[in-house]
Amino acid sequence: MGLTPAEAALTGTAFGALATFSSAWLIQRATTRREHENRVWDRRMAVYDEVMIAVRRMADLRETVRREGAFPERAPGATVPADDMSPLLARLEIYGSDALLTACKRAFAARRRWKLAWGSWCTQQDNNPRISDNDPYWVEFKKAVKKSRKADHRLLDLLRSEIHPERISMRQKWSARLKRSRFLKIRRARPVAPD
């Protein structure tokens, strides 16, 4: 049983229309997915920019307080890193990775600790506050500053590695080499058990 020319033409047209519709639908779906991924990436980068700026501002403030022993005077209208980082953490929770969110929370907690340590040093009752390694409150403040600095470095390294996964920072390379060399030294130093 053969097809008549009219049936063949209708069948060919139907298959052609189906193929055209399918390819248009697949292209539209891929385009929509790519546009969604680009929008999410753009929003993620905006949040990462905010995190980077907030961490840098906090670091500048921390180093100024460590160096001078006092918070800097603000000019009218000057911005200071906000104490409430909840909105930034909320956006990071939506667009960032879990590791980055954890590192960010640790950096902000370390910031609170050095500010509390500075407050304890500044309002101490036993002693006049002075920038000295003999003042135990100042020593505690310096320890909190050091921990805050480390938390910031970890956060910024993680942020850079998420933005540029193909680039590894020099600190990460040297850290890996140092760990490897320590491991090899430990292995070489172990005495060999006699048989």
Side-chain angles (χ1 to χ4, degrees):
M1 175 154 182
L3 288 176
T4 63
E7 290 173 333
L10 285 175
T11 305
T13 303
F15 280 131
L18 181 63
T20 302
F21 173 76
S22 298
S23 66
W25 181 75
L26 289 172
I27 290 170
Q28 181 61 37
R29 187 171 174 207
T31 302
T32 303
R33 188 179 322 133
R34 187 171 50 251
E35 286 174 355
H36 174 72
E37 288 171 358
N38 286 340
R39 279 194 308 271
V40 168
W41 179 254
D42 289 342
R43 289 179 185 153
R44 180 178 293 154
M45 287 303 102
V47 172
Y48 287 3
D49 285 346
E50 284 184 64
V51 170
M52 182 79 73
I53 290 167
V55 169
R56 291 292 183 195
R57 284 183 179 162
M58 290 185 308
D60 290 344
L61 177 65
R62 179 186 62 228
E63 295 307 316
T64 300
V65 172
R66 185 192 60 77
R67 191 174 47 254
E68 297 174 7
F71 278 80
E73 293 292 323
R74 285 188 284 158
T79 59
V80 170
D83 285 331
D84 183 22
M85 294 294 179
S86 300
L88 183 58
L89 286 173
R91 286 192 296 279
L92 193 61
E93 198 167 334
I94 294 170
Y95 297 111
S97 67
D98 290 339
L100 188 62
L101 181 63
T102 301
C104 199
K105 286 179 180 177
R106 286 181 182 157
F108 292 163
R111 175 183 187 235
R112 279 191 301 277
R113 283 192 294 274
W114 76 254
K115 286 178 83 176
L116 289 172
W118 178 83
S120 296
W121 169 77
C122 189
T123 60
Q124 60 183 302
Q125 300 296 323
D126 314 343
N127 227 343
N128 287 334
R130 57 187 176 205
I131 300 174
S132 168
D133 287 338
N134 295 330
D135 187 344
Y137 291 105
W138 183 254
V139 171
E140 285 301 313
F141 169 70
K142 282 177 45 178
K143 286 179 185 176
V145 163
K146 188 175 180 181
K147 288 178 183 177
S148 178
R149 202 178 290 136
K150 284 181 182 180
D152 285 355
H153 286 301
R154 270 181 272 163
L155 172 62
L156 293 177
D157 285 344
L158 186 59
L159 213 127
R160 282 188 211 101
S161 69
E162 284 198 17
I163 294 171
H164 305 287
E166 69 279 355
R167 252 180 27 195
I168 297 176
S169 73
M170 290 304 290
R171 182 180 298 135
Q172 290 169 331
K173 287 180 184 177
W174 282 107
S175 176
R177 285 183 184 172
L178 183 62
K179 286 178 186 174
R180 191 171 40 245
S181 68
R182 285 181 184 163
F183 176 74
L184 291 174
K185 286 179 185 175
I186 291 170
R187 288 194 62 168
R188 288 183 199 139
R190 286 186 189 159
V192 179
D195 291 330

